[in-house]
Amino acid sequence: MMKIRIILIISLLICFFSIQAYGATEEPVNADKLIDDLESTYGIKVTIQDKDDNINYNDCLIVLDKGLSRFPDGLIKEITDYYTKKGISINIIINETEKISDLFSEYVMSDESANIYINTLQNSLYRNSCVASEEGFVYGIGHFISDYIFKIYGYDKLRNEFENLNSGYNYGTWEKGYENVFLNKHSASSFKEEVANIIWYIEIHPDKLRNINNGNFTVIHKKIELLSNAAEQSFSSITKETNLWNEALPQKPDEWARETIEKMKSASLIPEEYEGIYRSYITKKDFYNLTFNIIEKKIGKERFSNIFGIVEKEEYTSLDPLKGEVYVDIDVNYDAEEDNYITRLEIAKFFGYVSNKLNKDISDYKIAEFDDISSVSESEKLFIYYVSSNGLLKGNGISFKPFENCTYQESYLMLMRLYNFL
């Protein structure tokens, strides 16, 4: 049965303050430049096999860019450098297919190469071409990353740690009680598949993972902690401060944030997909979306649409990598920067932007003498003064910490102040 998934994302381009969110205009993708960027950033060779001039391959490249950028900076490149030194090439190969059932990504490792295949289909029902989904691609990358962890951390060591948590349930079958220790039936098929499945779900569906068992810890969460620890020991680019995959673990808000968060939940200011994430660092994308959500709640849909605008969205098909279910997704311009963590300075600039759009006087501020903003440009300091003067972002009286990231729970307090300020 076909499932339809509609993802509504507000798209806009914030030019005045040099903050990028989702683009409001359809800009053509420079395929050659994107391929060069992917190869230089990740050390992966991208090849379009048997290229057909009638097919638009840009969607494949966007899927690659989105999928790879989900992972922490340096992680993928660290793997590719390791294999390259051993004479093993890392390739992403884009193929054309004529069957929608072939729209899956595939990962194949050999002594000479590690290849990830991603397919594109011409003349689909929904548009001129459709490609294997980002979900499918990340699932393939999950195998690529887990193979590296097995080599560096130790396959037998990690498997033994996992099996100690399996409570006697064995790989290769599915019986009553297995749902308590395995993510799904496919995870229970083998240890390698379980690790790849967990990485895939962590990156694509962290909300589903952290809310298993109503947000209480399970064996699956303990496995995520084991895998995160193994990754920390396998990658020099990953440290405990990275909080790797923390967003997939059940979280409770700290006491100082609890009352505000409960008020926001009661007022439907926090969408359901953000349930249970508090102590992880927030991405730009999530912060922008949460901000727009509370502004829409405050001023109403019609006024919100008139002020900020919503772009038209195109649909395309994609496939669940395991179930083979067809989805219809919304295609929006994508900026990989959106998956980076947002800084306090960027929040200040963004709040200045939305305040200006809502006819607030952003020149109404008092100069604050923070001791850590000397490296901030004079034009950006104005936004720091604006948000601090209006109580939207508060320093400690001495420091503003402009380049520090914010957690979700810290962001909720800022957003509640914005809601009350508007």
Side-chain angles (χ1 to χ4, degrees):
M1 179 177 67
M2 179 178 289
K3 292 187 178 180
I4 305 297
R5 181 181 59 178
I6 301 299
I7 305 175
L8 179 59
I9 301 179
I10 299 163
S11 301
L12 79 165
L13 180 64
I14 305 173
C15 299
F16 186 75
F17 296 107
S18 301
I19 303 173
Q20 291 185 330
Y22 296 97
T25 58
E26 185 70 26
E27 296 182 2
V29 175
N30 185 326
D32 291 337
K33 181 180 184 304
L34 186 50
I35 288 175
D36 289 342
D37 289 345
L38 290 170
E39 292 182 356
S40 62
T41 302
Y42 302 107
I44 295 174
K45 181 176 177 58
V46 180
T47 301
I48 300 177
Q49 209 167 52
D50 301 325
K51 185 172 183 179
D52 186 336
D53 292 335
N54 295 318
I55 292 181
N56 183 353
Y57 292 93
N58 290 348
D59 289 337
C60 284
L61 298 176
I62 291 173
V63 166
L64 303 186
D65 190 25
K66 289 175 67 176
L68 291 169
S69 67
R70 284 182 173 274
F71 298 95
D73 290 343
L75 185 146
I76 300 295
K77 186 65 162 57
E78 197 168 337
I79 301 175
T80 59
D81 286 347
Y82 171 85
Y83 284 127
T84 299
K85 290 177 182 178
K86 295 182 175 295
I88 298 174
S89 62
I90 311 299
N91 309 290
I92 294 178
I93 302 168
I94 300 175
N95 285 319
E96 178 188 354
T97 182
E98 296 182 355
K99 296 187 297 182
I100 196 168
S101 59
D102 288 339
L103 285 182
F104 292 97
S105 295
E106 182 183 8
Y107 167 74
V108 179
M109 181 74 184
S110 69
D111 292 337
E112 294 79 28
S113 65
N115 297 332
I116 300 173
Y117 297 88
I118 185 168
N119 296 326
T120 185
L121 171 70
Q122 185 182 15
N123 296 327
S124 77
L125 177 63
Y126 299 99
R127 61 188 298 173
N128 290 334
S129 65
C130 56
V131 302
S133 68
E134 184 186 355
E135 292 215 8
F137 177 67
V138 172
Y139 172 68
I141 288 290
H143 276 285
F144 177 64
I145 293 172
S146 58
D147 272 358
Y148 177 79
I149 293 175
F150 295 155
K151 292 179 185 296
I152 305 302
Y153 183 79
Y155 175 86
D156 291 336
K157 179 181 178 181
L158 188 59
R159 175 166 180 155
N160 288 337
E161 291 173 346
F162 267 58
E163 288 183 338
N164 287 337
L165 294 174
N166 285 349
S167 303
Y169 295 108
N170 299 315
Y171 292 108
T173 186
W174 184 269
E175 299 174 5
K176 184 178 179 180
Y178 272 51
E179 67 278 2
N180 296 321
V181 296
F182 294 110
L183 181 60
N184 50 37
K185 290 183 179 180
H186 199 260
S187 293
S189 63
S190 72
F191 170 64
K192 286 188 174 182
E193 287 297 339
E194 180 176 27
V195 174
N197 269 258
I198 289 176
I199 293 175
W200 161 45
Y201 251 71
I202 285 172
E203 295 299 339
I204 299 293
H205 303 294
D207 55 321
K208 293 183 179 180
L209 287 175
R210 68 174 174 266
N211 289 311
I212 293 173
N213 193 29
N214 296 318
N216 296 310
F217 249 75
T218 67
V219 170
I220 295 170
H221 297 125
K222 292 178 181 179
K223 289 180 178 180
I224 293 172
E225 288 186 321
L226 283 177
L227 189 56
S228 177
N229 176 67
E232 288 173 11
Q233 296 186 46
S234 300
F235 294 93
S236 60
S237 58
I238 300 299
T239 65
K240 287 192 178 297
E241 288 69 32
T242 305
N243 291 324
L244 182 66
W245 299 329
N246 192 50
E247 67 272 20
L249 297 174
Q251 301 175 23
K252 302 294 182 184
D254 288 327
E255 188 62 36
W256 52 265
R258 190 163 295 145
E259 182 178 354
T260 297
I261 290 171
E262 289 304 317
K263 288 180 179 179
M264 293 183 73
K265 286 181 179 179
S266 298
S268 299
L269 298 180
I270 302 178
E272 186 177 335
E273 61 266 29
Y274 296 101
E275 178 67 32
I277 183 168
Y278 304 110
R279 299 180 180 180
S280 301
Y281 290 134
I282 191 169
T283 62
K284 295 178 184 180
K285 175 177 63 179
D286 283 353
F287 191 88
Y288 296 152
N289 286 341
L290 284 164
T291 303
F292 293 140
N293 182 67
I294 72 155
I295 293 174
E296 184 180 34
K297 293 286 185 181
K298 184 74 173 187
I299 67 176
K301 289 185 178 181
E302 183 176 355
R303 186 182 173 208
F304 176 83
S305 296
N306 290 337
I307 291 174
F308 292 98
I310 299 176
V311 301
E312 293 184 2
K313 298 163 283 292
E314 295 182 28
E315 296 178 344
Y316 66 93
T317 58
S318 61
L319 292 175
D320 181 286
L322 298 182
K323 298 179 181 178
E325 294 168 341
V326 181
Y327 290 86
V328 177
D329 271 351
I330 299 301
D331 184 23
V332 296
N333 282 353
Y334 175 74
D335 182 352
E337 288 293 316
E338 296 306 302
D339 285 326
N340 291 343
Y341 299 133
I342 197 166
T343 65
R344 288 171 56 85
L345 175 58
E346 289 167 333
I347 291 173
K349 292 166 65 178
F350 185 56
F351 276 4
Y353 165 77
V354 297
S355 295
N356 185 65
K357 293 288 283 186
L358 294 169
N359 296 320
K360 295 286 186 180
D361 183 4
I362 62 173
S363 65
D364 182 17
Y365 59 78
K366 295 179 181 179
I367 295 178
E369 298 296 336
F370 293 118
D371 64 2
D372 59 352
I373 61 173
S374 59
S375 61
V376 176
S377 69
E378 291 302 316
S379 62
E380 291 177 325
K381 286 179 183 178
L382 305 182
F383 301 109
I384 293 177
Y385 299 152
Y386 173 74
V387 296
S388 61
S389 295
N390 288 285
L392 300 176
L393 268 75
K394 300 178 180 179
N396 60 8
I398 300 174
S399 303
F400 185 79
K401 302 177 181 178
F403 304 110
E404 286 196 5
N405 301 127
C406 293
T407 63
Y408 281 80
Q409 62 183 349
E410 290 171 336
S411 300
Y412 292 144
L413 267 64
M414 298 173 192
L415 291 169
M416 191 64 181
R417 293 173 195 149
L418 179 68
Y419 181 81
N420 293 328
F421 175 70
L422 296 179

